[in-house]
Amino acid sequence: MSPDIQTTSTGLELVVDIGPVAHGGHCVARHEGRVVFVRHGIPGERVRVRLTDAEEKAKFWRGDVVEVLDASPDRVPHFWRTADSVVSWAHGRPPVGGAELGHVSLQRQRSLKAQVLAEQLRRLAAVELSPEVEAVGPANGEKTDDGGAGLAWRTRASFGVTQSGGLGMHAHRSDQVIPVQEMPLAVDGINALRLWDVDLQGIERVEVAAPANGSRPLVLLAPAPGTRAKRLNSILSQLPADVSVASYDPLKNETLQLRGRTWVQESAAGHDYRVTGAGFWQIHRDAPETLVGAVTGFLHDGGFLEPGAAVADLYAGAGLFTAPLADAVGETGSVLSVEGAPGTSRDARKNLHGSPQVEIVQGKVERVLRQRPRQFDALILDPPRAGAGKAVVSQLIDSKPRAIAYVSCDPSSFARDIGYFQQGGWQMAGLRAFDLYPHTHHLETVALLTPRG
């Protein structure tokens, strides 16, 4: 081990100069030629790092900032002590994940995210762009300029449970659960439940959904093996009476009603949506309206979304995009809505039952496209974080739509797929990026793709 690496009560530490931001929520530093991925720093800073992953033969190390020796002008006090790396390691423990950019001004956060997106597009798709990451809001008093707080936007939150039965969250890349007494990124409807006051012994995970429209929240409890009904009833008695509660087995994907509903009601773009407790819905309270506006705006302005048009919504979830697409094409048009998850597809069927121009199909996108070949004016593509992949992109190109709106939550898989589209003779005709996850490294992109020439 290098002589300038110090051993402290919390582990191995060294001093580094922080280099450029990289995809994944960290920056790149170097120590004696070895790359060190550092979280909780800002490019240009000189910091002391606590190594969290430092095998002698490893190609790279990982570490958290524990002391700032030369601060960036964009460094601000962290809004959440439990997620503050310097404060947390001073108390001998790692910070919780989920707010890794909380020490950076919002304006600089968006600049860093734009750099990551540009770098991924350049490296994986050979596209040279200088994208802007747009602020989203206002919400709950959140401002859209650099003076805003960027808090109270999460309508969904996931928690672990400590060994003593307290509410907690995981440290980054760790099984360690850190106790929490607040979740500043969550909407008031989640914090008002005060789940940190509940004895959660016998529960492994807790998922909470509190719709932005103020409708009834849902608490999903994932019991540990052998947890008895009496224990669940005890937890139920500690929760507010107007909250729906269900138990959930993530391995079997089974939800059991304990009280109220096993789903929540969301609203967006003039429509109400039923979303099962384990089903997907955009996390940021303003994300549904923002993304619907971006997608329909691209397609409408390009002349691809008109009455009578044939469109498809792939990886459609509960139908967030399907409903406004059905409005746009009217009863003389058609919308094919494809979703792989059975429960979420059932939600879409319920949500769109009054739209005869909509066909709901449950199944994998690649299988449905192969078994039901047809021509479309436009496709909407909103895949999971892993992206669509080369095979699906090839199928989409073969279906010869006039345009594709691609929604993505991961700049790396997005850029990779853009490269595949370009290899197939397509081009990116428009791009917008949104800061739907303030204080984290995540962002959302919406691209308009059209055949080249």
Side-chain angles (χ1 to χ4, degrees):
M1 194 66 73
S2 174
D4 58 345
I5 297 179
Q6 300 178 1
T7 301
T8 71
S9 59
T10 57
L12 302 176
E13 296 182 359
L14 72 159
V15 174
V16 296
D17 295 313
I18 301 294
V21 66
H23 175 53
H26 47 247
C27 295
V28 178
R30 293 186 182 275
H31 175 71
E32 298 181 347
R34 191 197 308 264
V35 168
V36 183
F37 291 122
V38 179
R39 294 172 74 82
H40 312 287
I42 304 175
E45 291 187 325
R46 187 169 180 79
V47 299
R48 186 178 302 279
V49 171
R50 197 274 192 186
L51 296 176
T52 56
D53 188 354
E55 294 185 11
E56 184 66 33
K57 296 182 180 180
K59 292 183 178 180
F60 59 84
W61 290 345
R62 299 178 185 272
D64 289 351
V65 171
V66 295
E67 183 183 1
V68 181
L69 304 175
D70 186 6
S72 164
D74 296 310
R75 180 171 283 272
V76 298
H78 205 296
F79 62 90
W80 189 11
R81 291 176 62 84
T82 313
D84 186 328
S85 181
V86 174
V87 171
S88 296
W89 282 115
H91 288 83
R93 61 162 180 78
V96 298
E100 62 275 9
L101 296 186
H103 61 286
V104 188
S105 69
L106 286 176
Q107 184 177 22
R108 185 66 187 279
Q109 288 183 33
R110 293 191 285 271
S111 173
L112 293 173
K113 295 179 187 187
Q115 291 175 39
V116 169
L117 176 58
E119 191 271 338
Q120 294 295 306
L121 285 170
R122 181 172 55 253
R123 186 171 65 87
L124 298 175
V127 171
E128 293 288 344
L129 280 179
S130 299
E132 173 193 359
V133 176
E134 304 175 36
V136 174
N140 269 13
E142 173 190 344
K143 300 177 183 178
T144 56
D145 61 14
D146 189 45
L151 306 179
W153 52 265
R154 291 191 69 112
T155 61
R156 280 157 170 73
S158 300
F159 300 97
V161 178
T162 66
Q163 291 185 347
S164 60
L167 193 74
M169 294 181 65
H170 283 87
H172 178 63
R173 292 172 57 87
S174 172
D175 292 331
Q176 184 176 357
V177 179
I178 310 296
V180 297
Q181 293 289 321
E182 60 177 341
M183 208 307 177
L185 297 181
V187 296
D188 290 343
I190 291 178
N191 282 301
L193 299 176
R194 299 189 63 83
L195 294 174
W196 43 83
D197 291 337
V198 177
D199 178 4
L200 294 166
Q201 292 185 71
I203 303 299
E204 292 185 336
R205 290 201 60 77
V206 180
E207 308 281 341
V208 188
N213 59 19
S215 62
R216 191 173 189 175
L218 171 65
V219 175
L220 285 180
L221 305 172
T227 299
R228 298 183 177 182
K230 183 178 180 180
R231 178 87 276 269
L232 293 177
N233 288 333
S234 175
I235 296 172
L236 195 64
S237 68
Q238 300 174 67
L239 296 171
D242 59 347
V243 174
S244 295
V245 186
S247 64
Y248 175 63
D249 185 338
L251 297 179
K252 297 180 180 179
N253 197 26
E254 293 179 350
T255 302
L256 176 65
Q257 176 192 34
L258 298 178
R259 183 175 68 204
R261 308 183 298 204
T262 59
W263 50 274
V264 294
Q265 179 178 300
E266 299 282 0
S267 302
H271 293 270
D272 290 329
Y273 300 83
R274 167 192 167 126
V275 183
T276 55
F280 175 78
W281 187 257
Q282 290 290 337
I283 294 174
H284 194 295
R285 59 182 299 134
D286 293 320
E289 296 281 354
T290 298
L291 296 177
V292 167
V295 166
T296 57
F298 270 150
L299 295 179
H300 182 270
D301 292 347
F304 308 116
L305 190 61
E306 299 174 340
V311 299
D313 183 8
L314 307 179
Y315 309 96
L320 171 61
F321 296 113
T322 306
L325 291 175
D327 293 340
V329 304
E331 294 193 6
T332 60
S334 65
V335 182
L336 173 65
S337 182
V338 182
E339 168 57 38
T344 308
S345 184
R346 286 192 294 271
D347 286 341
R349 196 173 301 279
K350 294 178 184 296
N351 295 332
L352 280 303
H353 73 278
S355 301
Q357 67 271 44
V358 175
E359 180 185 4
I360 306 292
V361 178
Q362 187 269 313
K364 291 185 176 181
V365 165
E366 53 268 39
R367 178 177 62 80
V368 174
L369 291 177
R370 184 174 62 252
Q371 294 179 350
R372 298 169 179 252
R374 65 180 77 177
Q375 288 191 326
F376 298 98
D377 292 291
L379 301 175
I380 290 79
L381 185 67
D382 185 11
R385 191 171 300 280
K390 191 171 186 178
V392 170
V393 168
S394 179
Q395 286 182 292
L396 298 180
I397 292 174
D398 290 343
S399 68
K400 295 181 171 59
R402 296 170 58 209
I404 296 174
Y406 189 157
V407 182
S408 172
C409 63
D410 184 89
S412 180
S413 61
F414 169 72
R416 179 206 64 203
D417 287 349
I418 294 300
Y420 294 150
F421 276 109
Q422 291 193 136
Q423 293 169 16
W426 282 58
Q427 63 185 353
M428 189 160 56
L431 175 65
R432 295 182 71 183
F434 300 100
D435 190 15
L436 294 184
Y437 314 93
H439 302 298
T440 80
H441 69 278
H442 300 289
L443 74 154
E444 197 90 6
T445 53
V446 179
L448 177 65
L449 306 173
T450 57
R452 191 178 297 121

